[in-house]
Amino acid sequence: MSARRGVRRYQSEIAKLLANPLDRKTTLESLSNPAVRRSAISGCLAATWNGHRVVIKRPSFLARVPLDQLLPVRRLGSNPDARSNLCIHTTRRGSVPHVVWAESKLEALWMVELDRLHGDYESQACALVWPVGERMVIQFPDLVVRSGSTTAIWSVRSARRRSEYASFMLSVLIPETAAAHGLSYHLAGDISLQRAANLRVMDALRWKSSVTSQSGWANVVATRPTTLGAVVEAAGGGAYGRAIALRGLAQVHYDTDLERPFGRTSAVVWR
């Protein structure tokens, strides 16, 4: 589905907040001045949408609000030069299935990576707005990620798609803003072809029936093999054992090096 077709338009309160954007050239010139940047960061606001009302507060609010109260605040791919694909990624929030929208295949792959961590996330969950004079600088972080007591803003952008403006926003303004308001920040870049292939395999198996209900799994847990090949044999061997080995990996019972093809000698590290 083309992202140009969109999912959700701006809510009217957010549209008003974003009505007077500063152009990119002036943004770079203005915010390269440390004093101007500090002032903009101090006055930064985060606009969120919970499905019923818009909430506009300091970015520190993102560390306190439950993720189920953060919905995408804009129509994905709504900028005039949008070239991204609109992807649907299925994850879980606790034990409940949850659909997250992604603007690109790279963003969807990073969501698969996040599924292997202990935490939850929401995409396009806020608009960050910095005042510069009478106008505003605007960014939509790709993800808000919650892990334990830590809340992080994630930007996802391939290195080859980082213009001077994008590099400044993603490597200077947003991380400095996050730090000033008590949030963590992560810039997620390119994923290798091999890792992407491995992530797609695991994504296809992640939410299948639990591997723990399979007859061969009890022996795998009892012996805790240290290679994928040994997991296959402990599960009963053959195609069935291989299916158990891959599902155990996909369902995060153990890890292996995702930068290499899966094979019998792939080392297994139990969680």
Side-chain angles (χ1 to χ4, degrees):
M1 180 189 300
S2 169
R4 293 176 187 273
R5 297 180 62 183
V7 177
R8 176 179 288 113
R9 295 178 182 275
Y10 302 127
Q11 290 70 37
S12 59
E13 297 97 320
I14 295 178
K16 292 177 184 177
L17 183 66
L18 309 183
N20 196 20
L22 192 64
D23 66 272
R24 294 187 174 192
K25 182 175 183 294
T26 308
T27 295
L28 284 174
E29 291 173 350
S30 300
L31 294 182
S32 292
N33 181 321
V36 175
R37 191 163 71 249
R38 283 194 298 270
S39 176
I41 290 172
S42 176
C44 182
L45 294 173
T48 65
W49 163 250
N50 66 11
H52 302 286
R53 67 189 182 94
V54 170
V55 177
I56 301 173
K57 293 186 176 182
R58 297 297 184 190
S60 56
F61 164 72
L62 296 173
R64 303 187 301 274
V65 62
L67 281 189
D68 60 8
Q69 294 183 24
L70 296 178
L71 297 179
V73 298
R74 71 177 176 112
R75 186 180 67 181
L76 299 183
S78 58
N79 61 296
D81 296 322
R83 296 182 180 179
S84 56
N85 291 318
L86 182 58
C87 306
I88 297 174
H89 177 72
T90 302
T91 183
R92 286 186 183 175
R93 189 167 287 164
S95 60
V96 179
H98 180 65
V99 171
V100 185
W101 297 98
E103 282 193 289
S104 67
K105 295 176 181 177
L106 178 62
E107 193 172 309
L109 284 171
W110 276 109
M111 291 177 183
V112 181
E113 288 269 16
L114 282 169
D115 286 338
R116 301 192 62 76
L117 305 176
H118 297 293
D120 297 310
Y121 53 91
E122 187 57 76
S123 64
Q124 307 293 322
C126 69
L128 292 179
V129 183
W130 295 265
V132 179
E134 298 299 318
R135 307 187 75 175
M136 301 291 181
V137 174
I138 303 157
Q139 282 285 298
F140 295 87
D142 294 300
L143 295 163
V144 172
V145 180
R146 179 78 45 76
S147 180
S149 61
T150 300
T151 299
I153 292 172
W154 276 47
S155 298
V156 180
R157 183 70 66 93
S158 169
R160 62 181 178 276
R161 293 189 58 246
R162 295 178 198 167
S163 62
E164 181 183 6
Y165 177 82
S167 294
F168 178 82
M169 299 302 290
L170 303 184
S171 300
V172 179
L173 185 60
I174 300 180
E176 288 185 4
T177 300
H181 292 274
L183 303 169
S184 297
Y185 177 74
H186 180 68
L187 175 54
D190 297 289
I191 292 177
S192 69
L193 292 176
Q194 183 61 62
R195 192 180 193 90
N198 290 341
L199 288 172
R200 291 188 181 103
V201 168
M202 292 190 295
D203 189 38
L205 298 172
R206 178 73 170 99
W207 310 117
K208 298 289 186 182
S209 60
S210 175
V211 70
T212 61
S213 66
Q214 304 301 310
S215 60
W217 184 248
N219 191 50
V220 173
V221 173
T223 56
R224 294 177 71 86
T226 57
T227 66
L228 278 181
V231 174
V232 172
E233 297 308 317
Y240 176 78
R242 176 175 171 79
I244 294 296
L246 290 177
R247 193 173 297 187
L249 177 63
Q251 295 178 1
V252 204
H253 292 282
Y254 41 77
D255 297 294
T256 192
D257 185 356
L258 299 183
E259 294 295 339
R260 297 177 179 273
F262 297 147
R264 295 186 64 84
T265 60
S266 298
V268 163
V269 179
W270 284 80
R271 293 222 175 182

